[in-house]
Amino acid sequence: MAYRKDSIFKNVDWWTILLYVLLVICGWFSICGASYDYGDPNFFDFGLRSGKQLVWIACSFGLASLILALDYRFFDTYAYLIFGILLLLLFATIFNPNEIKGSKSWIVLGPISIQPAEFAKFGTALALAKFMGEYTYSLSNRRHLIATIAIILIPMFLIIMQKETGSALVYLSFFLMLYREGMPGVILFTGICAVVYFIVGIRFSIVPMGDGITPWGEFAVLSLIIMLTAGLVWVNCKPGRKLALIILAVGISGIILGVLFSFFVIPFNMVYMLLVMTGVLFITMVVYFLRERVYSYLYISIFVIGSVVFLFSTDYVFSNVLEPHQKVRIEVLLGMKDDPSGAGYNVNQSKIAIGSGGLVGKGFLNGTQTKLKYVPEQDTDFIFCTVGEEQGFFGSSAVLLLFLALIIRLIVLAERQPTRFARVYGYSVMSIFFFHLFINVGMVLGLTPVIGIPLPFFSYGGSSLWGFTILLFVFLRIDAARYGNAGQ
């Protein structure tokens, strides 16, 4: 037994644990500042959020110690079982009568509320690591790829059914891990294109061009599809580079002539002209595939038709799939609507709080925006604005550098793993932390949509803190056994 403890103590990555402790401590002080009321400085009162968070922190330290004491093979052996149990919890939560802030994602047990979605990230990461760690696994195998995507999408679907779209979107971060494990770059490229199509198509769909008829959104996206298709042919079809130049030349010439004719001769909706051009492009790709038997042409033809279908489906999704509050938030973010007292209130007040902090901040407990409760959810989703107001630019930068150090350290640990199981899990952990950090800080600064996800180790709440602690320390336990027999 002594050998087991000595082995774990020697091999566990203490640098990561140090970063974890520093972030948790900084997070607790931020919660003290965000939840503080004038004249009530007793932060250790368990009736206050600062006191409750201390309980969650103490439990998290105990949870971390328990995880490190387990045999590392436990997580590999029971990965699917853990994933299955968490899926059942997610499914059961859909029918939960307890609704908190419009969400059914909570299980209420007396005075304690638990959010299974926070723990399901750990279960999904384990299941992916287990499945992808099999000796015969290959991302190029269609069945393996479909099963991998299913492992990600099933919990996403269940969480969306709980009206927790923000938490569901976190699962998209697993695609960063898949890219590291050999997922074709074209899939990541397609995802980026989809985001660009959605933003440009929605933002400028109601803005007419100079002819007064053609909408800028559809015109820009369809023109981009033609340009991207030429680029894809150039990169992926080496014998067809002459075809790529022809597509580019014809596309640009057609667009210029169409603009000149519509602006100065007879105004017409140039979207129809571009649809004809993309239709001809699609047929051309199919013909080249049938003639040359080069599958790249077939994939590019699918990209063309898929891009057009996606463009014209975005309006339906935006109008009929998204919740009203999500739609308004996107409109405010994209500048389609100015609503400083409504949907844009949180972000507007958050930016005021951060800006008022200046270089060095107003000091601990001296923030006016946060103390006077101008910023809603300031100790949960918008906790970073408290850091900005009280600690200023320097303090905010220090916090971001701590997170950057943690993410870089996770990449280093993941790369040194001797097994694919450990590496996949490590990159899954890194991807989740990166996504949470990027989106949470981005929405506080008004750079990303407000989707309501916590800042790791900072946002108030036991489920969030425990979920991130389990996620991180399971990886540290697996990493501690990288020499084969540590901890046995």
Side-chain angles (χ1 to χ4, degrees), residues 1 10 30 79 82 90 103 111 116 303 313 368 390 428:
M1 195 69 174
K10 178 181 178 182
S30 298
I82 293 170
L90 289 177
S103 170
F303 170 80
S313 66
T368 53
E390 293 190 347
S428 296

Side-chain angles (χ1 to χ4, degrees), residues 312-332:
F312 289 97
S313 66
T314 53
D315 184 61
Y316 174 82
V317 171
F318 188 69
S319 302
N320 301 285
V321 176
L322 295 180
E323 297 289 335
H325 67 278
Q326 295 167 339
K327 179 180 175 181
V328 174
R329 285 173 180 174
I330 292 175
E331 289 175 335
V332 171

Side-chain angles (χ1 to χ4, degrees), residues 118-196:
E118 291 294 336
F119 303 99
K121 289 178 285 192
F122 142 73
T124 305
L126 267 185
L128 284 171
K130 176 71 173 178
F131 183 67
M132 297 177 67
E134 298 293 336
Y135 180 74
T136 57
Y137 180 86
S138 173
L139 269 175
S140 59
N141 184 303
R142 188 178 303 173
R143 290 183 179 179
H144 290 170
L145 179 60
I146 292 173
T148 302
I149 294 175
I151 292 174
I152 298 172
L153 293 184
I154 290 173
M156 277 188 70
F157 174 76
L158 294 175
I159 294 172
I160 290 174
M161 293 295 290
Q162 301 170 3
K163 300 181 181 179
E164 269 292 325
T165 309
S167 297
L169 291 176
V170 174
Y171 288 75
L172 295 177
S173 64
F174 286 112
F175 284 90
L176 294 175
M177 174 275 295
L178 293 179
Y179 185 68
R180 164 60 182 84
E181 291 302 313
M183 182 181 71
V186 68
I187 296 179
L188 187 62
F189 170 77
T190 302
I192 294 173
C193 288
V195 173
V196 173

Side-chain angles (χ1 to χ4, degrees), residues 208-215 258-259 262-264 266-270:
M209 295 181 66
D211 58 4
I213 297 176
T214 307
V259 169
S262 183
F263 276 49
F264 301 106
I266 301 175
F268 73 101
N269 191 338
M270 288 181 283

Side-chain angles (χ1 to χ4, degrees), residues 72-253:
Y72 74 94
R73 290 170 296 190
F74 171 86
F75 305 106
D76 188 351
T77 303
Y78 297 103
Y80 291 143
L81 178 62
I82 293 170
F83 181 58
I85 292 173
L86 289 170
L87 285 183
L88 288 175
L89 278 176
L90 289 177
F91 181 75
T93 309
I94 297 174
F95 306 99
N96 179 20
N98 299 296
E99 190 168 306
I100 299 177
K101 296 181 181 179
S103 170
K104 293 184 176 182
S105 62
W106 298 85
I107 294 178
V108 180
L109 303 172
I112 300 176
S113 299
I114 300 295
Q115 193 173 24
E118 291 294 336
F119 303 99
K121 289 178 285 192
F122 142 73
T124 305
L126 267 185
L128 284 171
K130 176 71 173 178
F131 183 67
M132 297 177 67
E134 298 293 336
Y135 180 74
T136 57
Y137 180 86
S138 173
L139 269 175
S140 59
N141 184 303
R142 188 178 303 173
R143 290 183 179 179
H144 290 170
L145 179 60
I146 292 173
T148 302
I149 294 175
I151 292 174
I152 298 172
L153 293 184
I154 290 173
M156 277 188 70
F157 174 76
L158 294 175
I159 294 172
I160 290 174
M161 293 295 290
Q162 301 170 3
K163 300 181 181 179
E164 269 292 325
T165 309
S167 297
L169 291 176
V170 174
Y171 288 75
L172 295 177
S173 64
F174 286 112
F175 284 90
L176 294 175
M177 174 275 295
L178 293 179
Y179 185 68
R180 164 60 182 84
E181 291 302 313
M183 182 181 71
V186 68
I187 296 179
L188 187 62
F189 170 77
T190 302
I192 294 173
C193 288
V195 173
V196 173
Y197 296 163
F198 183 83
I199 293 175
V200 176
I202 293 297
R203 173 64 180 85
F204 300 101
S205 61
I206 58 175
V207 180
M209 295 181 66
D211 58 4
I213 297 176
T214 307
W216 260 114
E218 285 82 352
F219 176 86
V221 173
L222 288 171
S223 300
L224 181 62
I225 292 171
I226 294 173
M227 303 301 112
L228 290 175
T229 302
L232 288 173
V233 172
W234 178 273
V235 172
N236 298 288
C237 309
K238 297 296 174 64
R241 287 189 167 180
K242 186 180 294 184
L243 174 63
L245 295 175
I246 294 173
I247 293 172
L248 190 62
V250 172
I252 293 176
S253 301

